Amino acid sequence: MATLLISDLHLEAQKPEIGEQFLQFLSNDANDADALYILGDLFEVWLGDDDPNPYYAGMKTALRRFTDTGVPVFFMHGNRDFTIGEQFAAETGVSILADPVIVNLHGHEVLLSHGDALCTDDVQYQQFRLMTRNPDWQAMMLTKSLQERIAYATAVRQESVARGGEISDEIMDVNQEAVRALFREYDADTLLHGHTHRPAVHDVDLGDRIATRIVLGDWYEQGSVVRWDENGPRLESLPR
Ligand code: MN
């Protein structure tokens, strides 16, 4: 049995091949997993749990069917789907995790994060993140109509793309000092995150020890998964 970790699928109706691969992943790879962790940006844009988007409704149904088989599913917010809330959790059966969080994977204490908070070189984005992760701001946004939320999300995307902050292959990488600070704050040996779309396993020199930073890839061209079993973690790409 293995624990599976994925992130950055960016599911959307306009890219059905990603969703198809995700559904296959749920019914094949993940079927005999002991748990599945989704570390953010499962969806390209989440307007709120009240969004009737039929494509996302289909994905919620698939998640519900999957959690009904008894495999625990944990979800952490990404920068695209940070308004996923309790209604989504109730509908799908997933449990929402804080970011960051330490979990025990087959005897290893592992620090999990989406990863966007580590991209501290993007000062403008960090200001945006601070604002939008505020519960008052989110409550205010969720009182707006879906049309207003779509307009807001579109404007944010355009602004982000215009300044090169988040185009798929130009998305900013993590700041190394922010990474080391997070390792020290949580006294962690292993950090696993997504967001940067740069799948890799890195050694991180903390001075007194070497830690490991595992980065999940996105699902634009193939799947990306960390399979963690009694032999430790393996970062794999899943051919489409
Ligand atoms: Mn992200």
Side-chain angles (χ1 to χ4, degrees):
M1 295 268 272
T3 304
L4 302 182
L5 304 103
I6 60 175
S7 70
D8 302 284
L9 284 81
H10 295 267
L11 294 173
E12 58 174 326
Q14 290 84 345
K15 294 179 182 157
E17 65 281 5
I18 301 176
E20 281 160 28
Q21 185 167 14
F22 178 53
L23 298 182
Q24 280 172 18
F25 171 80
L26 287 181
S27 50
N28 299 323
D29 305 73
N31 204 29
D32 57 353
D34 50 54
L36 171 64
Y37 287 81
I38 304 171
L39 301 184
D41 290 355
L42 174 61
F43 300 101
E44 173 68 6
V45 58
W46 194 260
L47 297 168
D49 291 354
D50 56 340
D51 183 359
N53 179 326
Y55 187 73
Y56 286 170
M59 291 298 156
K60 283 194 285 190
T61 302
L63 275 170
R64 176 84 245 178
R65 242 183 257 127
F66 182 72
T67 58
D68 279 346
T69 67
V71 180
V73 178
F74 301 96
F75 172 81
M76 179 181 285
H77 293 124
N79 52 301
R80 303 298 193 87
D81 47 18
F82 60 85
T83 56
I84 279 183
E86 289 308 318
Q87 186 186 331
F88 176 90
E91 284 172 356
T92 59
V94 311
S95 305
I96 297 179
L97 294 174
D99 178 2
V101 68
I102 290 191
V103 297
N104 191 296
L105 302 179
H106 291 268
H108 297 261
E109 298 283 306
V110 182
L111 184 57
L112 305 179
S113 180
H114 176 59
D116 57 321
L118 294 167
C119 300
T120 54
D121 294 332
D122 193 341
V123 174
Q124 240 181 302
Y125 172 70
Q126 294 304 327
Q127 285 168 351
F128 171 79
R129 186 178 194 277
L130 206 62
M131 174 180 78
T132 55
R133 298 304 174 91
N134 181 312
D136 293 339
W137 185 91
Q138 292 195 7
M140 176 277 293
M141 185 52 70
L142 292 173
T143 63
K144 293 186 184 294
S145 71
L146 273 178
Q147 284 312 315
E148 287 173 301
R149 280 179 258 164
I150 290 168
Y152 179 77
T154 304
V156 168
R157 295 297 312 138
Q158 281 167 349
E159 201 266 341
S160 174
V161 169
R163 62 194 181 81
E166 213 191 316
I167 312 166
S168 61
D169 53 346
E170 289 177 36
I171 191 168
M172 272 198 204
D173 203 355
V174 296
N175 174 287
Q176 296 305 321
E177 198 40 59
V179 167
R180 286 190 285 269
L182 190 66
F183 270 115
R184 290 193 195 102
E185 182 184 348
Y186 285 85
D187 195 25
D189 291 316
T190 307
L191 166 65
L192 195 154
H193 69 83
H195 179 66
T196 61
H197 302 187
R198 289 173 168 85
V201 179
H202 301 275
D203 286 342
V204 180
D205 191 347
L206 296 174
D208 56 338
R209 60 201 164 93
I210 303 289
T212 305
R213 179 170 70 95
I214 304 171
V215 187
L216 286 160
D218 62 71
W219 283 49
Y220 289 143
E221 309 291 337
Q222 67 281 303
S224 181
V225 62
V226 164
R227 217 177 279 275
W228 201 307
D229 60 20
E230 68 276 13
N231 299 313
R234 279 197 315 281
L235 175 62
E236 295 175 2
S237 93
L238 304 170
R240 184 159 293 160

